[in-house]
Amino acid sequence: MSVSGEAALRSSATEEDDALALVIAWSAAEPWRVGEVAFFTRLDRPQVLGHMPAPDGDRAARVRFFRQRPGQLEPTSPLRGPGISSGELSVRLLGDGLHVERQGPCPALFRGAPVARCVLTPGDTLLLKDELLLWCTRRARSLPPLRHFPEACAGSFGDADAFGLVGESPAAWRLRDQAAFAARSDLHTLILGPSGAGKERVAHATHALSRRAARPLVARNAATFPPGLVDAELFGNIKNYPNPGMPERPGLVGAADGGTLLLDEIGELPSSIHANLLRVLDADGEYQRLGEAAARRADVRLLAATNRPPEALKHDLLARMTLRLTVAGLEERIEDIPLFVRHLLRRAGERSPDLIRRFARDENGDYCVSGELIEHLLHRRFTTHVRELDGLLWQAIADSPGSIVTLPGGPDVLLGGQDRRRASGHPPPSQHSDAPRDQRARSSEPTTEEIRACIAQEEGNLARASRALGLTSRYALYRLLKKHAIDVAGLRDGRCCPARGFARAR
């Protein structure tokens, strides 16, 4: 933690490890501030969010934003924006929520409706129309210093790092450090995560951080191997074998000798190939080309990726994957979504500058995006995560009529996406919605049958199941699974027939 950041928080810090926080998810006037965070503790008086420094004579406590990174907490400059007054919002931590009251002229929107006051709990957003979007979350006040990831590769705040990894959330930094550890270990590693979450990008970063970085990274999707030629693709073959006219091939293992072999969708690899692959993964790296009597040896480090649970892999193959990296989906790192939007728009600008030039904000590669679009994306239920987000942005680019990438036609039109707030049964807010959430409708703990049905419906995705059940996180679901002795692997394999359309209201 920087000295100035530590001093700024010392007066309001408590002994708790984490606190309710507001993250800047969008700013019309200062887009470079996306990802900054303000922490809230129980003070005797509210804090004021607005322009700083405050006017003469105003001694109210001010909301301070910080750039948080592992081992760092850097305070930032006062908020700016033509529509934000010096005392725009009053924010106070009471109970489990942030009680927010609008005091300035900028309209405040909570769950799509204008409000004078509301209570924000983790997962809520507050939009100051045309000015600022805030995301409420719970976060540790300090992130542990990096142990393995080189700080010199971190890049500027909010930008992709040297390996193309995006995010400033605690989950993003934890993934970077774990990938760097895996890279230095040189052990075979299994990379887990949902489709489209960025497993291949993490694999490339792991290779680039390893001692094998100067050697080739050979990547292949196991689902694309031609039937009957998997052995030849992996291990190579001599000329004219197994079929006349076939050229000699070194195979993926031979091509990756001294480097890294990345097999995506490893779960699609035929089980008949496992025995030969296991020989390569053992210490001596032995394998044979088809049609060749002599054994060969290759110094290969395997990175295998899958969107299946580890239990779906053959136990002998799983036993050789010493390390595991889990790449979280967007629903587990929601505060990073605006940063992915920035990154994907910049990439679109590099690939197709003529198509998105009209949205350019400046010459630094930033583009104008509406706060409503970002708010919709924060609450959207993603299926293929970053890949889906990229497609959504291209559709918004195609449909936006002016110079701002907007949400044309409303959230229901944008590829038919489902808003998590509506899916979870959240009621629309009243004009003076100042009752704490724990005083509103609250459901009891889900039953065993409800948990089993929801996990099966969500195809084993515990993050989505925990949200559908109205739980605070997937860790709460883990505790219930242990309590009720529920076999998740059995549900994923289809040994439970759930009632379709299950969703538990919060």
Side-chain angles (χ1 to χ4, degrees), residues 448-462:
T448 302
E449 291 73 20
E450 289 174 333
I451 296 172
R452 290 171 61 86
C454 190
I455 292 175
Q457 179 177 321
E458 297 292 349
E459 300 177 345
N461 187 306
L462 297 186

Side-chain angles (χ1 to χ4, degrees), residues 78-402:
L79 284 175
R80 291 179 175 83
I84 299 178
S85 67
S86 60
E88 191 63 43
L89 298 176
S90 170
V91 185
R92 187 171 188 178
L93 174 62
L94 290 174
D96 295 328
L98 295 176
H99 290 237
V100 180
E101 183 172 352
R102 181 171 65 87
Q103 297 179 330
C106 188
L109 301 177
F110 179 55
R111 298 181 189 165
V115 293
R117 60 182 67 90
C118 62
V119 178
L120 300 178
T121 55
D124 286 331
T125 49
L126 183 67
L127 177 64
L128 296 181
K129 190 169 179 59
D130 299 328
E131 292 293 341
L132 189 70
L133 178 64
L134 299 171
W135 165 262
C136 183
T137 188
R138 182 171 289 277
R139 182 187 284 194
R141 289 189 185 85
S142 62
L143 302 182
L146 294 170
R147 294 185 296 169
H148 309 289
F149 188 84
E151 192 171 342
C153 298
S156 301
F157 185 86
D159 292 339
D161 63 28
F163 310 105
L165 301 179
V166 176
E168 296 290 345
S169 67
W173 285 108
R174 186 163 53 249
L175 176 61
R176 287 184 175 101
D177 221 32
Q178 291 171 347
F181 175 83
R184 294 171 63 181
S185 73
D186 203 43
L187 297 171
H188 303 310
T189 302
L190 180 64
I191 304 176
L192 304 164
S195 295
K199 297 187 294 296
E200 186 172 352
R201 175 66 64 184
V202 172
H204 279 264
T206 303
H207 171 74
L209 285 163
S210 74
R211 66 174 179 82
R212 300 173 182 267
R215 301 292 295 170
L217 170 66
V218 180
R220 184 70 180 270
N221 189 313
T224 65
F225 287 133
L229 293 177
V230 181
D231 268 310
E233 292 281 345
L234 272 176
F235 308 114
N237 59 273
I238 63 174
K239 187 176 181 180
N240 295 321
Y241 190 91
N243 300 316
M246 285 191 66
E248 180 180 1
R249 287 184 292 186
L252 298 176
V253 172
D257 188 18
T260 302
L261 174 61
L262 169 60
L263 290 180
D264 197 5
E265 297 190 41
I266 186 69
E268 303 300 324
L269 196 67
S271 57
S272 59
I273 306 299
H274 285 194
N276 291 336
L277 181 59
L278 297 181
R279 293 172 61 196
V280 180
L281 299 183
D282 288 332
D284 56 1
E286 185 178 291
Y287 73 103
Q288 275 184 295
R289 289 184 181 179
L290 294 186
E292 194 171 68
R296 292 173 176 261
R297 283 180 170 79
D299 174 22
V300 174
R301 192 267 184 92
L302 176 65
L303 299 178
T306 181
N307 57 13
R308 297 183 179 186
E311 299 80 15
L313 301 180
K314 298 281 287 185
H315 67 89
D316 47 1
L317 175 60
L318 189 62
R320 287 165 173 80
M321 307 306 294
T322 311
L323 297 180
R324 299 179 191 179
L325 292 174
T326 299
V327 183
L330 290 181
E331 292 179 4
E332 296 184 58
R333 43 186 299 195
I334 294 175
E335 57 259 60
D336 288 333
I337 290 177
L339 299 178
F340 275 108
V341 170
R342 177 195 295 174
H343 175 71
L344 292 172
L345 287 177
R346 286 177 175 175
R347 189 174 70 179
E350 294 171 357
R351 294 179 176 177
S352 308
D354 293 342
L355 292 180
I356 68 168
R357 184 176 291 118
R358 60 192 172 103
F359 304 110
R361 175 186 176 87
D362 50 39
E363 297 180 355
N364 297 324
D366 284 325
Y367 296 88
C368 296
V369 180
S370 73
E372 289 79 6
L373 174 60
I374 298 298
E375 185 173 30
H376 166 70
L377 295 173
L378 292 176
H379 292 288
R380 182 184 177 86
R381 297 189 65 177
F382 288 91
T383 303
T384 54
H385 303 277
V386 180
R387 188 178 300 128
E388 179 180 342
L389 177 60
D390 192 30
L392 293 171
L393 290 175
W394 274 108
Q395 181 174 334
I397 289 169
D399 293 345
S400 297

Side-chain angles (χ1 to χ4, degrees), residues 30 41 267 329 340 476:
E30 301 175 290
T41 55
F340 275 108

